[in-house]
Every structure is written in structure tokens, then in C-alpha cells.
Amino acid sequence: MDNCLFCKIARGEIPSNKLYEDEELLAFYDIAPQAPVHFLVIPKKHIESCAAVTGENSVVVAKAFELIAKLTSELGITSFRVVSNCGEDAGQSVPHLHFHVMAGRPFTWPAG
Ligand code: AMP
């Protein structure tokens, strides 16, 4: 998608503080961290949100969760929260599927 912020980051047109990259996935630190550790995992190929996950594109979602397990393990993080906001009311500000991975402080439940 030409005008999508995270597509631009995935293409390297906008810089990011990268944690991991392969052909399909990118992990980078959130520009406005909400926890001592806060990074995002995105598929490079544009998927708008969790609501757009289908049988055609869901393999990359499974790979994103494998990557989250690998990166948190490498960072020595044993307790963390994974969040994906879907739609405006849920707080999604960037319409490109992403998983927030946050750690380093206690989190309350239910989420606000
Ligand atoms: P959401 O509001 O759930 O769609 O999450 C979007 C996230 O992207 C927010 O936590 C923002 O702080 C983060 N964000 C926006 N622009 C950038 C950027 N250029 N680099 C890293 N993170 C960003």
C-alpha cells in the first residue's frame, strides 16, 4: 500500500529501530513506548487488521507469534502482553496489522 505508514517502514522508506527482519516479518521498537519494553511485530505484506485475517494470509500471523516467542526468549522476557488493536474504537491508529509486545511493568486487566 503506497500510503501506509507501516508499509513504508517495511520497505525501509521510513527509518525504524529494528529488532528483527526477514522476508515476511519486521519487528521494531514502538516510537512512543507504553512499557519499558515495547516493540511491534508486523507482516511486511499489507493486512489491514485482525479483521482481515483469512485462510489465505494467516500463515504469516502464526509466524508472527513464533517470532514473538523467539524474541521475548532472546530478550530474557518471561512475562509480557501481546495486543492487537482492531478498528478505531479499539484504539487502532495505524491500519496495518501489528502486534504490540510489551513487558517490564505490571499490566492491569481488563485493558482500558
Ligand atoms: P495502534 O495505535 O494500536 O494502531 O498502534 C500503532 C503504534 O505505532 C503506536 O503505539 C505508535 O506509537 C506506533 N508508531 C507510530 N509511528 C511509528 C513509527 N514511525 N515508528 C515506530 N512506531 C510507531
Side-chain angles (χ1 to χ4, degrees), residues 34-36 79 81 102-109:
Q34 301 301 311
S79 186
R81 181 167 286 183
M102 294 174 285
R105 67 168 171 87
F107 295 96
T108 56
W109 189 260

Side-chain angles (χ1 to χ4, degrees), residues 9-10 16-30 39-44 60 63-72 74-75 101:
I9 288 178
S16 64
N17 187 2
K18 281 181 204 170
L19 189 58
Y20 176 89
E21 181 169 21
D22 65 24
E23 281 185 5
E24 292 178 285
L25 292 167
L26 180 67
F28 56 99
Y29 285 101
D30 197 291
F39 62 87
L40 304 173
V41 174
I42 67 166
K44 286 186 169 178
V60 77
K63 288 182 179 173
F65 276 87
E66 283 182 43
L67 180 60
I68 289 168
K70 174 181 144 67
L71 292 177
T72 50
E74 285 174 3
L75 292 168
V101 182

Side-chain angles (χ1 to χ4, degrees), residues 54-90:
T54 67
E56 302 295 306
N57 62 21
S58 60
V59 169
V60 77
V61 175
K63 288 182 179 173
F65 276 87
E66 283 182 43
L67 180 60
I68 289 168
K70 174 181 144 67
L71 292 177
T72 50
S73 166
E74 285 174 3
L75 292 168
I77 295 166
T78 52
S79 186
F80 56 92
R81 181 167 286 183
V82 180
V83 171
S84 190
N85 298 318
C86 179
E88 243 177 72
D89 282 355

Side-chain angles (χ1 to χ4, degrees), residues 36-55:
V37 178
H38 184 177
F39 62 87
L40 304 173
V41 174
I42 67 166
K44 286 186 169 178
K45 193 171 167 221
H46 188 85
I47 299 172
E48 187 150 324
S49 73
C50 286
V53 175
T54 67

